[in-house]
């Protein structure tokens, strides 16, 4: 893993949740996490990373069909919406930076979390399940609500994340890990 943060450079820096800073140019498109000088490993997500990094394509398609966004700039449900949910739930554990004016980085939005990439993956799945539970709770079909609740009782987020990452064969060089 890369260890960003070369002293003496005047490149734009991003304040991290741990209190450290990192140069925006040290976080490249292929990076999914990095070893911070604070001693922790932080997950890195960029707006160019697809939501399929965290969720199966069929679920992303379903979210795109059902979730209405209020953004003219991002009308389709995508990674910024997923990370927005994470940021809303964990505001102190996620740093976000708008780097749209930083021509050297190749992305516009950046999120760096106190979580490593695997834990962030679990958090995203947990929060999407909460969104789904909320949506199902508004259904007029009690049987569907009960069936969904039963399925969620049997659903193991950690096992899902392990299986999803294994099926996608995610390794340290994979941009979507």
């Amino acid at each position: 893993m890369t260890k960003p943060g070369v002293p003496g450079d005047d490149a734009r820096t991003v304040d991290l949740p741990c209190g450290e800073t990192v140069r925006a140019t040290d976080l490249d498109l292929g990076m999914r996490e990095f070893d911070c000088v604070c001693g922790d490993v932080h997950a890195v997500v960029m707006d160019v990373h697809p939501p399929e990094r965290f969720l199966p394509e069929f679920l992303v398609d379903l979210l795109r069909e059902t979730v209405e966004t209020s953004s003219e700039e991002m009308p389709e449900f995508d990674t910024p919406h997923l990370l927005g949910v994470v940021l809303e739930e964990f505001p102190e554990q996620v740093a976000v930076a708008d780097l749209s004016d930083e021509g050297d980085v190749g992305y516009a939005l950046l999120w760096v979390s106190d979580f490593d990439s695997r834990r962030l993956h679990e958090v995203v799945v947990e929060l999407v399940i909460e969104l789904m539970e909320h949506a199902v709770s508004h259904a007029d079909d009690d049987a569907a609500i009960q069936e969904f609740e039963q399925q969620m009782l049997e659903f193991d987020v950690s096992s899902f994340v392990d299986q999803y990452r294994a099926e996608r064969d995610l390794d340290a060089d994979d941009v979507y890990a």
Side-chain angles (χ1 to χ4, degrees):
M1 279 183 262
T2 306
K3 291 190 177 194
V6 177
D9 194 339
D10 61 350
R12 181 152 171 209
T13 60
V14 176
D15 294 329
L16 302 176
C18 65
E20 297 293 337
T21 60
V22 63
R23 294 182 319 164
T25 54
D26 285 341
L27 304 174
D28 63 63
L29 295 174
M31 191 175 270
R32 61 186 173 115
E33 62 184 18
F34 69 94
D35 291 320
C36 183
V37 295
C38 76
D40 289 337
V41 176
H42 299 301
V44 175
V45 182
M46 297 158 188
D47 59 336
V48 295
H49 295 170
E52 289 84 359
R53 170 178 170 175
F54 302 105
L55 304 168
E57 186 175 350
F58 81 89
L59 185 53
V60 171
D61 291 342
L62 179 65
L63 290 168
R64 285 183 172 147
E65 291 173 17
T66 57
V67 174
E68 294 181 22
T69 69
S70 59
S71 171
E72 289 182 21
E73 294 174 352
M74 292 179 270
E76 183 177 73
F77 185 87
D78 212 339
T79 300
H81 300 97
L82 281 177
L83 272 290
V85 173
V86 174
L87 184 62
E88 185 176 310
E89 190 69 24
F90 299 99
E92 301 300 317
Q93 286 84 20
V94 181
V96 62
D98 179 350
L99 299 165
S100 55
D101 61 347
E102 187 72 36
D104 294 335
V105 295
Y107 54 89
L109 293 173
L110 168 73
W111 298 267
V112 180
S113 76
D114 267 345
F115 314 116
D116 65 15
S117 64
R118 179 159 190 324
R119 177 63 188 134
L120 178 62
H121 196 157
E122 288 180 343
V123 167
V124 167
V125 171
E126 290 166 354
L127 293 173
V128 167
I129 289 171
E130 284 183 25
L131 286 172
M132 293 168 57
E133 286 174 337
H134 179 75
V136 169
S137 73
H138 291 287
D140 292 331
D141 185 346
D142 288 339
I145 294 170
Q146 289 176 357
E147 181 181 347
F148 182 81
E149 288 174 352
Q150 182 59 40
Q151 289 175 356
M152 289 304 99
L153 288 174
E154 298 170 8
F155 186 76
D156 183 325
V157 171
S158 183
S159 294
F160 168 81
V161 169
D162 287 341
Q163 181 180 354
Y164 188 70
R165 292 168 77 88
E167 285 177 9
R168 299 247 354 248
D169 191 27
L170 301 177
D171 60 30
D173 297 325
D174 193 327
V175 67
Y176 305 124

